[in-house]
Amino acid sequence: MTDVLIAGAGPIGLTAAIELARRGVAVRIIDPLLEPPRYAKAVGVQPRTLEVFERMGIVRQILDAAVHFRGQIAYLNGERVGDIELTLPDDVPFRFIGIPQYSTERVLRRELTARGVRIERGVRLTGFEQDSDGVTAMLDNATPVRAQYLIGADGAHSIVRKTLGLNFEGAAFEEQYMLADVEVDWTLPPGYAVRSMHNSEGKVDDILVCIPLPGRGRYRMSMLVPPELSTQGGVQHGFGEGTPELHHIQAVLDRLSPEPTTARNMRWSSVFRISHRIVDAYGRGRVFVAGDAAHIHPPTGAQGMNTGIQDAYNLAWKLALAVTRDAADGLLDSYDAERRPIGEEVVGRTVRSAREGIGADSTDPDFVIRREAQLLVSYADSPIVAAGAGRRAPDARGLTRAAEAEPLRLFTLLVGTRHTLLLYADPATGFEELENAAEAAERAAHGLLDVYVVAHPDAAVEATVLPLVRDEIGEFAAAYGVDGPAAIVVRPDGHLGYSGAVDADALVGYLKRTFV
């Protein structure tokens, strides 16, 4: 019996497989495609996802293959009507990037291969049955697979979702679009998206959206489908029949490009239809869905793949504890409790953004940019999170360590696969109370917990036996809102599980929600 079977080797399935393999879980991953897709379906990677990739150890490779996404230039009826600069404050370590999905998947595949997991291509899941001990999956190569758990990362037309009997409520957009990956020779600044619209009698009747990709003058372009390529019925979400040719793209550019330009070197094109739907549960029993198998929505704001990657990131560490019998009752139920509200919010927001524009619901640009960067995701209502916690754990710079010559970032201490307990010491804190709390927490977490003392520069805690870093410039204290002794637990997915007093009983009580 394998520990976890994953159906689908796109970015969501690959993320889940890597995170499980990092934790020593025996995983199999199958995909019906004989070769990886070569289209640039998802092209935007958010700052929060780059934080995830940093913890996974692949952020350098992702950035090497990406372009810095600087903002957007908008045109209406040929007039430049507004620019958006995608600037983030200094407390956020990464910026927005553009990278074709096939490049993201290539980096993920290489990491998975390095961890000894091979993708089984040309193998399709046709059904499954589950019982109290595991899941029996039927494959089209007539070889049943027995696994403890099954993850459906098999896209918008998921066999896992359908077999599990999940509702997938929503609706489809009437408009059809065509996508193309092309180069143009215009003089617009690199790194900026271009959105050009035509408005007639108060209604947008023509649109061109160009997202920058790595390469000189290369963009992933989307536009309305011309009548000769429009299809009736067929697929409700995803790629449909019909392949736009270069002259179809050029015709739209001739109408809407901010300046005369010629499209060339088309790598790929397709017709695309958009729906918005979400499941009524992210899993049942030993079977779970993630990514497009759980939620689909307009591509506005590049939220889809990023949300799916965080689905997988949330689920994998919980499944790993379940496989090793270290998980508390209800831990796997927290996947639905935490991620489905996020999916519902993303679906609703992207539908509004597609109709009204990104940020039309707020007058606070800092809030909008952080929300679009997925930095505001919170699990404050989760049954496994202590009161006052749940938000993304912020980074902090200027930490020093006796054996390191240069200051370090907090995130460099959080790249492992376990929970991390951060014990803050102010000048009046004694190290004994910190060590006692750490000892109790480590027992409650079965030793699956890293511990650091983060000390004020004047704290007299040099004698501690715990790993010690100094908050030399005060960024940690400011970011976490602490001015006295405090205990903070950062979960493996980079969210705060506990933030409060250095209280051994309270820490143990919190950890018992996660560990058996």
Side-chain angles (χ1 to χ4, degrees):
M1 176 188 288
T2 194
D3 292 332
V4 180
L5 174 66
I6 300 173
I12 284 73
L14 291 168
T15 298
I18 291 168
E19 286 302 287
L20 290 165
R22 287 179 72 202
R23 292 164 170 83
V25 174
V27 60
R28 290 181 65 179
I29 181 168
I30 62 173
D31 195 285
L33 298 179
L34 293 173
E35 297 290 339
R38 290 288 303 169
Y39 49 76
K41 179 183 176 185
V43 297
V45 173
Q46 306 292 355
R48 175 58 183 150
T49 303
L50 290 176
E51 293 178 359
V52 170
F53 287 159
E54 181 180 37
R55 293 177 69 116
M56 294 172 65
I58 59 172
V59 73
R60 178 185 61 79
Q61 299 95 309
I62 291 290
L63 293 176
D64 286 350
V67 60
H68 179 199
F69 189 17
R70 300 177 182 275
Q72 178 180 273
I73 304 171
Y75 295 84
L76 180 62
N77 293 349
E79 298 292 328
R80 190 163 176 168
V81 294
D83 297 354
I84 298 175
E85 296 292 333
L86 290 177
T87 56
L88 283 162
D90 290 341
D91 65 288
V92 181
F94 298 105
R95 303 296 178 247
F96 297 86
I97 65 167
I99 176 174
Q101 183 171 321
Y102 55 76
S103 294
T104 299
E105 291 183 11
R106 184 184 303 121
V107 172
L108 291 167
R109 285 197 305 272
R110 288 174 179 169
E111 179 66 16
L112 186 61
T113 299
R115 295 190 174 276
V117 180
R118 178 182 62 86
I119 299 170
E120 300 174 43
R121 291 209 168 273
V123 180
R124 182 185 301 273
L125 178 78
T126 59
F128 62 85
E129 296 176 352
Q130 63 172 313
D131 52 49
S132 60
D133 296 321
V135 181
T136 301
M138 281 68 77
L139 311 181
D140 62 358
N141 62 5
T143 305
V145 172
R146 185 70 174 168
Q148 289 194 53
Y149 299 96
L150 170 64
I151 298 175
D154 48 346
H157 310 289
S158 169
I159 294 297
V160 174
R161 183 188 66 240
K162 294 173 182 177
T163 306
L164 203 54
L166 301 177
N167 292 326
F168 202 39
E169 299 297 331
F173 278 58
E174 293 183 5
E175 300 89 349
Q176 296 180 50
Y177 298 85
M178 57 181 179
L179 307 179
D181 181 346
V182 299
E183 292 178 6
V184 288
D185 56 1
W186 60 33
T187 62
L188 294 172
Y192 284 83
V194 176
R195 183 182 182 91
S196 181
M197 299 171 290
H198 183 268
N199 187 307
S200 179
E201 298 180 353
K203 182 180 179 181
V204 173
D205 57 11
D206 207 357
I207 187 168
L208 168 69
V209 177
C210 309
I211 305 298
L213 294 176
R216 188 171 291 108
R218 181 162 291 281
Y219 292 82
R220 204 288 304 276
M221 297 187 175
S222 61
M223 57 211 76
L224 295 175
V225 167
E228 65 268 26
L229 292 179
S230 180
T231 59
Q232 299 298 322
V235 64
Q236 291 188 325
H237 186 87
F239 301 124
E241 298 177 356
T243 302
E245 298 180 6
L246 198 57
H247 69 86
H248 293 112
I249 310 304
Q250 186 63 51
V252 179
L253 288 170
D254 290 344
R255 296 195 307 268
L256 293 176
S257 174
E259 61 183 57
T261 191
T262 300
R264 61 181 184 275
N265 297 336
M266 184 165 69
R267 291 182 179 174
W268 164 85
S269 67
S270 180
V271 172
F272 193 81
R273 302 193 69 167
I274 299 171
S275 294
H276 50 95
R277 302 179 186 277
I278 188 164
V279 290
D280 57 337
Y282 272 33
R284 287 179 181 161
R286 292 175 172 268
V287 182
F288 306 89
V289 290
D292 284 359
H295 46 79
I296 54 176
H297 44 80
T300 317
Q303 300 294 301
M305 183 185 73
N306 293 272
T307 301
I309 285 171
Q310 292 185 57
D311 290 343
Y313 200 59
N314 181 289
L315 176 60
W317 70 264
K318 298 171 181 177
L319 272 181
L321 290 178
V323 165
T324 58
R325 308 293 193 268
D326 290 308
D329 290 342
L331 178 62
L332 293 182
D333 294 335
S334 73
Y335 171 58
D336 177 85
E338 292 181 350
R339 292 304 300 171
R340 189 153 57 93
I342 302 302
E344 290 171 345
E345 189 276 333
V346 168
V347 171
R349 172 161 47 91
T350 53
V351 170
R352 291 193 303 273
S353 294
R355 291 170 174 160
E356 303 169 15
I358 294 174
D361 60 338
S362 175
T363 58
D364 183 351
D366 181 72
F367 167 78
V368 171
I369 203 75
R370 287 178 181 269
R371 182 183 63 184
E372 296 302 312
Q374 300 199 340
L375 299 170
L376 300 182
V377 169
S378 174
Y379 304 137
D381 296 327
S382 169
I384 66 166
V385 166
R391 67 185 175 110
R392 159 190 169 266
D395 199 8
R397 296 165 301 180
L399 301 180
T400 61
R401 199 172 190 175
E404 296 196 44
E406 297 293 331
L408 61 147
R409 295 166 48 220
L410 176 64
F411 278 7
T412 63
L413 303 178
L414 305 178
V415 296
T417 59
R418 305 173 354 146
H419 285 68
T420 303
L421 171 60
L422 305 170
L423 295 166
Y424 183 74
D426 73 349
T429 306
F431 64 82
E432 294 90 349
E433 66 174 308
L434 304 181
E435 292 177 356
N436 291 338
E439 183 180 0
E442 287 180 306
R443 285 199 306 269
H446 306 177
L448 303 174
L449 181 78
D450 296 320
V451 182
Y452 294 94
V453 173
V454 182
H456 184 279
D458 299 328
V461 290
E462 292 85 355
T464 183
V465 297
L466 298 172
L468 172 65
V469 296
R470 295 277 181 181
D471 185 23
E472 291 291 348
I473 62 176
E475 276 203 7
F476 179 88
Y480 287 83
V482 294
D483 57 7
I488 295 157
V489 178
V490 182
R491 307 186 331 175
D493 56 9
H495 283 259
L496 299 182
Y498 176 94
S499 180
V502 182
D503 182 323
D505 291 338
L507 274 169
V508 169
Y510 153 69
L511 290 166
K512 285 300 182 183
R513 304 183 194 184
T514 295
F515 298 93
V516 67

